[in-house]
């Protein structure tokens, strides 16, 4: 009778048990083509965490309309931000963050495995958990690259981990980072990013902090995302020494006809220009990596809308990406949540002794 659990990887005696960190981001199509975007959107928009509409009502809309019309339009947008060598900016920066985090933790004296995964697309969360387990990881920290908690993002990552765990006979110890929206290192990394831009390119008359939107009903149902985004905005403004009149928190990427969190980013920018605001700086604190939503939606579409409405100067401030203050902050968040887990490297002699004892008892 076949087992419903996945086969366990070889576990040779004498190999050190490892601690690991899995960085998780939203995901990206494999290529800026309609077929690749269709596969990505089908997975993304089939997630109950993302679209809380009964499948009986939603699936005809998704498969009969959206997946027939949206992929070509979205692929054209992805093509404008796709790098000839690096490909998807989100994939590039997420991989860089994992690589640098491994180095930062190593310099701090921690012998920790670090991988990255995407909630939708590749590398998939399940495949990366399999890889970590095969490398000997018995303790895994799940670290989403979403500073603000939302059921649509953070909880969906956790769902994917739970689904994987249901297939495992030997489940590693798991820990989850829910949020770090008010972490001092994260706020300081954002502030340094903005201050560097102001020093190098000058400062505009107003700062807009644009966060990804979610349906407003999620706020009333208990999702903390709106409150955490507002707190990030307030703490960042305080760190920068801004008065309330000098910055605005907005929400972008509205999808569908339902009411989403307000104020909406692009209409706000248009209204500012129409009122006579000449220049604006826009930053996206909720995105830790530049992606379609920042490079195309903000730096292209929102820029054009502001300038067309009468604005004279629009400056987009890049995301944290691989900046040193951000990787430092990320490593501090990881270390805080790794506390109490063994992260040193056992001696070869101790491992050999363990192997000899196991063999003496008949282990293969």
């Amino acid at each position: 009778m076949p087992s419903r659990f996945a086969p366990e990887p070889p576990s040779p005696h004498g190999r050190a048990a490892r601690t690991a960190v899995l960085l998780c981001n939203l995901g990206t199509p494999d290529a800026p083509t309609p077929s690749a975007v269709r596969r990505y959107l089908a997975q993304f928009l089939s997630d109950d965490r993302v679209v809380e509409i009964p499948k009986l009502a939603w699936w005809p809309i998704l498969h009969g309309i959206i997946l027939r019309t949206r992929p070509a339009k979205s692929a054209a947008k992805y093509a404008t931000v796709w790098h000839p060598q690096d490909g998807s900016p989100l994939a590039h920066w997420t991989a860089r963050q994992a690589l640098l985090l491994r180095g930062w933790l190593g310099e701090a004296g921690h012998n920790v495995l670090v991988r990255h995964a995407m909630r939708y697309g590749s590398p998939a969360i399940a495949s990366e958990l399999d890889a970590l387990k095969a490398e000997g990881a018995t303790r895994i920290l799940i670290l989403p690259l979403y500073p603000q908690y939302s059921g649509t993002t953070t909880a969906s990552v956790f769902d994917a981990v739970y689904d994987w765990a249901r297939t495992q006979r030997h489940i590693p110890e798991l820990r989850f980072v829910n949020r770090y929206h008010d972490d001092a290192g994260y706020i300081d990394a954002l502030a340094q990013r903005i201050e560097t831009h102001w020093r190098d390119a000058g400062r505009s008359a107003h700062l807009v902090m644009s966060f990804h939107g979610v349906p407003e009903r999620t706020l009333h149902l208990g999702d903390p995302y709106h409150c955490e985004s507002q707190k990030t905005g307030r703490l960042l403004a305080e760190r920068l020494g801004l008065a309330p009149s000098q910055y605005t928190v907005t929400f972008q990427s509205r999808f569908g006809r339902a009411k989403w969190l307000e104020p909406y980013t692009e209409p706000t920018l248009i209204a500012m220009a129409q009122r006579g605001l000449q220049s604006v700086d826009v930053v996206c604190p909720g995105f830790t990596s530049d992606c379609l939503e920042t490079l195309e939606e903000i730096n292209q579409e929102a820029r054009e809308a502001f300038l067309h409405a009468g604005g004279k100067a629009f400056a987009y401030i890049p995301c944290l990406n691989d900046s040193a203050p951000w990787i430092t902050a990320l490593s501090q968040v990881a270390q805080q949540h790794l506390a109490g887990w063994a992260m040193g490297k056992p001696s070869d002699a101790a491992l050999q002794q363990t192997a000899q004892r196991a063999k003496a008892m008949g282990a293969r």
Side-chain angles (χ1 to χ4, degrees), residues 261-278:
L261 296 180
E262 295 180 320
Y264 302 140
T265 298
E266 187 170 308
T268 298
L269 288 167
I270 292 172
M272 287 177 173
Q274 291 174 340
R275 290 197 303 268
L277 184 71
Q278 296 292 297

Side-chain angles (χ1 to χ4, degrees), residues 26-30 39-40 43 117-125 127:
L26 185 76
T28 176
D30 294 325
R39 288 193 301 272
Y40 171 74
Q43 185 183 11
M118 300 297 183
R119 176 61 182 91
Y120 315 104
S122 60
I125 288 174
S127 65

Side-chain angles (χ1 to χ4, degrees), residues 20-34:
V21 177
L22 184 64
L23 289 185
C24 299
N25 214 329
L26 185 76
T28 176
D30 294 325
T33 62

Side-chain angles (χ1 to χ4, degrees), residues 163-303:
D163 288 343
W164 172 83
R166 287 172 59 87
T167 70
Q168 303 300 302
R169 183 179 301 279
H170 187 184
I171 302 173
E173 293 181 66
L174 296 169
R175 290 182 183 174
F176 300 86
V177 179
N178 280 41
R179 55 178 56 80
Y180 41 95
H181 65 289
D182 56 357
D183 177 77
Y186 159 66
I187 297 297
D188 189 62
L190 288 169
Q192 289 192 55
R193 193 61 141 175
I194 295 167
E195 289 170 339
T196 297
H197 172 83
W198 285 347
R199 183 182 64 247
D200 296 343
R203 181 171 173 174
S204 295
H206 197 81
L207 177 65
V208 171
M209 305 178 192
S210 181
F211 292 81
H212 198 290
V214 295
E216 187 186 70
R217 68 185 293 271
T218 62
L219 169 63
H220 304 305
L221 291 171
D223 195 301
Y225 177 76
H226 177 265
C227 299
E228 293 185 6
S229 298
Q230 293 288 352
K231 186 174 184 181
T232 295
R234 175 176 60 80
L235 292 175
L236 179 55
E238 291 173 358
R239 166 62 178 76
L240 292 168
L242 298 178
S245 61
Q246 294 177 296
Y247 75 97
T248 302
V249 171
T250 64
F251 297 90
Q252 64 182 87
S253 307
R254 181 186 175 196
F255 178 76
R257 297 181 179 179
K259 185 178 181 181
W260 281 41
L261 296 180
E262 295 180 320
Y264 302 140
T265 298
E266 187 170 308
T268 298
L269 288 167
I270 292 172
M272 287 177 173
Q274 291 174 340
R275 290 197 303 268
L277 184 71
Q278 296 292 297
S279 62
V280 66
D281 293 326
V282 182
V283 67
C284 299
F287 296 86
T288 54
S289 299
D290 272 311
C291 55
L292 181 74
E293 286 79 6
T294 64
L295 299 175
E296 194 278 334
E297 184 179 356
I298 295 300
N299 200 29
Q300 294 181 31
E301 291 186 3
R303 171 191 295 275

